[in-house]
């Protein structure tokens, strides 16, 4: 609704600091491709630091293709058909959660299990944003710790509180997001070389 790219750029500067370009690349691949593996975004920090503001702003890009889930351990997986899965403060952390994150982000196909329907398979198009208040949100086997930025599945970032609290910030972002995606993010996407990385971008 509003052409104001400077607002979005300033927001990303304030929230992600030196990682702003990475977030822009992630969003560019998310918006301009399908069935392209992206790293899982794991955002940690205390309540009120803006984890949900960012995640729900991303959700607003393709709202019909997005879902918020409380945990991954339900037998039913309707979200397997989505493009974005936001996992909000899952209480069931540890090794099992890590294995589930790897499965949903790494497999080429996923099983969809809905109530009252037979299971069926779909091509995996899910991108994951995981939100947690925990300092250590996931468990990683020692021999699976990434050693190469070209082959890293997880981006973990601890968010800090905003200096100025604005209850209308999310609405302001969403109002400006469409034009920013169509203009600035298209430029970013056209500059990427996705074949150089296992998860599309340098992580």
């Amino acid at each position: 609704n509003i052409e104001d790219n400077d607002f979005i750029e300033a927001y990303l500067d304030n929230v992600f600091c030196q990682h702003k370009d990475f977030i822009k690349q992630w969003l560019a691949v998310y918006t301009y491709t399908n069935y392209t593996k992206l790293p899982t975004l794991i955002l940690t920090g205390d309540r009120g630091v803006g984890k949900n503001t960012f995640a729900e702003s991303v959700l607003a890009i393709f709202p019909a293709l997005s879902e918020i889930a409380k945990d991954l351990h339900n037998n039913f997986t309707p979200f397997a058909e989505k493009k974005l899965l936001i996992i909000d403060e899952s209480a069931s952390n540890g090794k099992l959660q890590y294995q589930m994150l790897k499965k949903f982000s790494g497999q080429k196909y996923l099983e969809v299990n809905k109530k009252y329907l037979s299971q069926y398979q779909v091509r995996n198009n899910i991108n994951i944003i995981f939100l947690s208040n925990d300092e250590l949100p996931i468990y990683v086997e020692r021999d699976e710790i990434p050693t190469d930025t070209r082959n890293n599945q997880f981006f973990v970032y601890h968010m800090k509180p905003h200096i100025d609290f604005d209850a209308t910030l999310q609405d302001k972002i969403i109002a400006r997001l469409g034009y920013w995606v169509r203009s600035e993010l298209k430029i970013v996407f056209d500059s990427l070389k996705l074949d150089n990385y296992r998860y599309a971008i340098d992580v």
Side-chain angles (χ1 to χ4, degrees):
N1 297 330
I2 301 173
E3 297 181 13
D4 184 7
N5 286 353
D6 289 344
F7 185 94
I8 304 290
E9 294 291 324
Y11 163 74
L12 293 176
D13 263 329
N14 290 334
V15 173
F16 293 103
C17 305
Q18 73 269 29
H19 302 293
K20 172 188 171 183
D21 286 343
F22 166 82
I23 293 296
K24 288 176 67 173
Q25 290 173 9
W26 192 97
L27 289 169
V29 176
Y30 170 72
T31 53
Y32 283 100
T33 68
N34 283 312
Y35 309 111
T36 299
K37 288 183 182 178
L38 271 168
T40 298
L41 300 185
I42 300 176
L43 306 180
T44 71
D46 296 333
R47 287 175 58 87
V49 297
K51 300 186 298 290
N52 285 88
T53 296
F54 173 76
E56 290 172 14
S57 295
V58 178
L59 182 151
I61 298 172
F62 301 117
L65 301 176
S66 305
E67 188 161 321
I68 298 175
K70 289 295 181 186
D71 65 66
L72 295 177
H73 306 302
N74 195 314
N75 288 331
F76 297 108
T77 57
F79 56 80
E81 294 180 298
K82 302 292 186 178
K83 185 176 175 69
L84 178 68
L85 176 64
I86 298 171
I87 304 165
D88 188 4
E89 298 179 354
S90 173
S92 49
N93 55 16
K95 187 173 183 178
L96 182 60
Q97 181 167 278
Y98 171 68
Q99 291 169 339
M100 296 294 279
L101 285 173
K102 284 192 69 177
K103 171 186 172 182
F104 289 133
S105 61
Q107 288 186 347
K108 189 169 183 178
Y109 294 93
L110 293 176
E111 293 291 331
V112 181
N113 187 9
K114 295 181 178 180
K115 283 186 178 180
Y116 315 118
L117 293 176
S118 300
Q119 279 192 351
Y120 56 94
Q121 196 175 68
V122 295
R123 194 170 169 195
N124 184 3
N125 196 31
I126 284 184
N127 302 284
I128 298 173
I129 301 177
F130 181 85
L131 312 177
S132 175
N133 293 344
D134 294 336
E135 282 291 317
L136 301 173
I138 61 168
Y139 172 96
V140 182
E141 293 278 7
R142 184 183 299 274
D143 62 356
E144 291 189 316
I145 293 173
T147 58
D148 189 339
T149 60
R150 294 170 299 177
N151 188 27
N152 181 6
Q153 188 176 357
F154 298 110
F155 172 82
V156 185
Y157 183 68
H158 184 78
M159 295 178 69
K160 306 283 194 303
H162 297 297
I163 297 173
D164 300 314
F165 179 77
D166 181 358
T168 66
L169 177 60
Q170 185 174 312
D171 292 335
K172 290 175 180 175
I173 293 168
I174 291 172
R176 293 158 172 80
L177 202 52
Y179 182 78
W180 181 77
V181 166
R182 293 192 303 273
S183 57
E184 175 64 21
L185 273 199
K186 185 64 167 68
I187 295 169
V188 173
F189 179 73
D190 288 341
S191 72
L192 296 175
K193 294 180 172 58
L194 306 184
D195 293 340
N196 292 348
Y197 307 97
R198 183 175 180 186
Y199 295 94
I201 55 177
D202 199 46
V203 189

